[in-house]
Amino acid sequence: MFLTFPVLTSVAIFNIVGCKSLNFEENQNRSTQHLGKNYQKMSSSRTVRKLEVESPVPADIDIANSVEPFHISEIAKDLNLSPNHYDLYGKYKAKVLLSVLDELEGNDDGYYVVVGGITPTPLGEGKSTTTVGLCQALGAHLDRKVITCLRQPSQGPTFGIKGGAAGGGYSQVIPMDEFNLHLTGDIHAITAANNLLAAAIDTRIFHESSQSDKALFNRLCPPNKEGKRKFSDIMFRRLKKLGITKTQPEDLTPEEVTKFARLDIDPNSITWRRVMDVNDRFLRKITVGQGPEEKGMVRETGFDISVASEIMAVLALTTSLADMRERLGKMVIGNSKAGDPVTADDLGVGGALTVLMKDAIHPTLMQTLEGTPVLVHAGPFANIAHGNSSVVADKIALKLVGPHGFVVTEAGFGADIGTEKFMNIKCRYSDLRPQCAVIVATIRALKMHGGGPEVVAGKPLDPAYLNENVPLVEAGCENLARHIVNTKAYGVNVVVAVNKFSTDTEAEMNAVINASMVAGAFNAVICTHHAHGGKGAVELGVSVQKACMSVNQPLHYLYPLDISIKEKIEAIARSYGASGVEYSEQAEKQIEMYSRQGFSGLPICMAKTQYSFSHNAAQKGAPSGFILPIRDVRASIGAGFIYPLVGTMSTMPGLPTRPCFYEIDLDTTTGKVIGLS
């Protein structure tokens, strides 16, 4: 089934912000009363830690360091995992093996919840914190079996502007320093695999430029000691692609030798770039091949951040080791001079990439401050990739919690990006269906969308954000309303979580609750999980349970897969509020090429700013009637999507004047990390 998005008019927005106020205390008390028989508790002896909260709330790293985590084997035991189901990575992390899925194949799934947000400020609105707080509420306070599924954070934001992604305050994943830094090495594996493929591309061009077809073939299929030649296993993939059925190198005709051995890569068509997991603006555009031995092989290219690598997207969307092997081999790095796509398997490197990724495919088990389990896996950005944790982590989690449990996963940035891609890309490949979507909102962000002063990371907030201003909040609710309408149209119940700050007033929060309900939310609740841990998200937990249990309809996708690439792009653009799409000459050329190559049936992954519904980060609120510019269109064939570049999106972030690393250090006496946020 497919959906269309109604556009909220100014009259509708006026009705949203002008409706009668609710009493916050009454609403909170009513929602946290004893649950009925449909919500019976699941008795267990699960490991739970009681938090002793302080006010004011200490720094995130200080809270994390004040708590001694349970040994990860205790967390695993609560999930009925035995030691043969996981590999330990120290005392507080373990890799959960994919064999668990096979063992639990016949078990029913739990409820599936995705957490998105309104269009954020550069400071973030606490989506990860809300995801963790909700799970602490469900597991430690409402006695539900729950697993949090989160992305592994990139070290780019950790040392750059945003900081880490373990949550915050009393709703965190611990140990937060291990979570935010190397974890179990998955991103490093992606970096190594990505750069191996990049090296293979340039090396193949280099060797083909200086060798005849026969010499190239002889080196690709060298004779053994007995003088016999043989194809390696991976070479049969290329032979099959070329329609060559012969199995012995000696049997190939001269024409077949040329087709097999010479990829004839067009350097101008190469889309594969090197990566590293730090923000480094000076690597956005570089040249390679300037050494004396590579004379004449200079090529302009650049670096992306590691989490923008297609290999990260493959990891996040794969369903098994065999599926990952196929996806890695199908990755297209560019075209031949004849216009045919060249893949990793054509280069002979697909198997080696899989070897580098064989441990990374297993999700990492961690815990929250209150002892509820967390699966951390994959970390694609939502503005330049699809922004969701892995399919395999969600599938394992849904089986482990069982039919009465809950799996809560986070979709990056605003719901226009992360939740849209969760529904139209991730759920398509996983065949999973969420029952509830949470949208996280803050008074601060709503004031910004209502016309408040610019919010700049590293600068003090304007007084407008610290003093009561209900009209500004009401004006900004048009942004929230569009996210609610868009998300509800997928066929899920929407619960709005208002992440409360100390400067927020009851009148401002009531305005958000009223606007949410008129826009069609299942419920809207105030949350204080940052200050109080799971206790501050109990009302949210109750609402999410009710929302999950009252949904009984199929997932509605935004677009079918059998329409053209342009039609899919335009369907997404309309959900942003655009009245049309403008394609550059380069974008038109790429769309035509991908359609000709047979890739038009893939879903779309828009690379767009996270700070606006539009392409212009300065356009706040819910802009409409704009023309969305598509600068370029690229493809992640192995991952399985086409990604248009909207405006001037960069795939390698830069560092600000005062990065987060100024605060980060090591206490050399205790060995503990300090200053990490």
Side-chain angles (χ1 to χ4, degrees), residues 61 93 152-156 158-159 164-166 175-188 277 366 664-666 672-674 676-677:
I61 188 68
K93 304 187 299 291
Q152 179 184 353
S154 163
Q155 291 179 165
T158 298
F159 293 109
M176 71 95 85
D177 56 334
E178 295 183 25
F179 176 89
N180 282 314
L181 298 175
H182 306 286
L183 197 64
T184 47
D186 294 356
I187 293 181
H188 299 318
D277 194 37
M366 296 188 75
I664 299 171
D665 211 325
L666 190 72
K672 289 185 178 293
V673 175
I674 56 177
L676 199 61
S677 63

Side-chain angles (χ1 to χ4, degrees), residues 242 446 664:
L242 296 171
L446 292 170
I664 299 171

Side-chain angles (χ1 to χ4, degrees), residues 254-372:
E255 293 77 13
E256 290 172 335
V257 166
T258 298
K259 286 173 64 178
F260 169 77
R262 192 164 295 279
L263 301 182
D264 203 24
I265 298 169
D266 179 0
N268 295 321
S269 74
I270 296 171
T271 55
W272 198 265
R273 291 155 61 95
R274 289 163 173 84
V275 299
M276 64 168 52
D277 194 37
V278 295
N279 293 357
D280 192 343
R281 67 178 69 245
F282 287 94
L283 291 178
R284 289 171 179 168
K285 184 176 286 189
I286 65 167
T287 56
V288 295
Q290 298 196 65
E293 294 183 2
E294 290 75 47
K295 187 176 180 180
M297 301 300 298
V298 173
R299 182 173 69 86
E300 187 177 279
T301 180
F303 273 75
D304 295 333
I305 194 162
S306 293
V307 291
S309 169
E310 182 176 352
I311 297 177
M312 174 62 86
V314 166
L315 178 66
L317 291 171
T318 195
T319 56
S320 67
L321 190 60
D323 180 58
M324 184 173 73
R325 170 63 185 88
E326 293 304 310
R327 288 175 180 268
L328 291 172
K330 289 178 181 177
M331 294 188 304
V332 173
I333 58 88
N335 300 319
S336 70
K337 291 174 182 175
D340 299 319
V342 178
T343 67
D345 273 346
D346 287 330
L347 285 156
V349 74
L353 301 181
T354 309
V355 169
L356 286 171
M357 293 293 295
K358 69 179 180 64
D359 295 322
I361 196 173
H362 305 293
T364 300
L365 180 65
M366 296 188 75
Q367 63 191 284
T368 68
L369 284 168
E370 297 190 56
T372 60

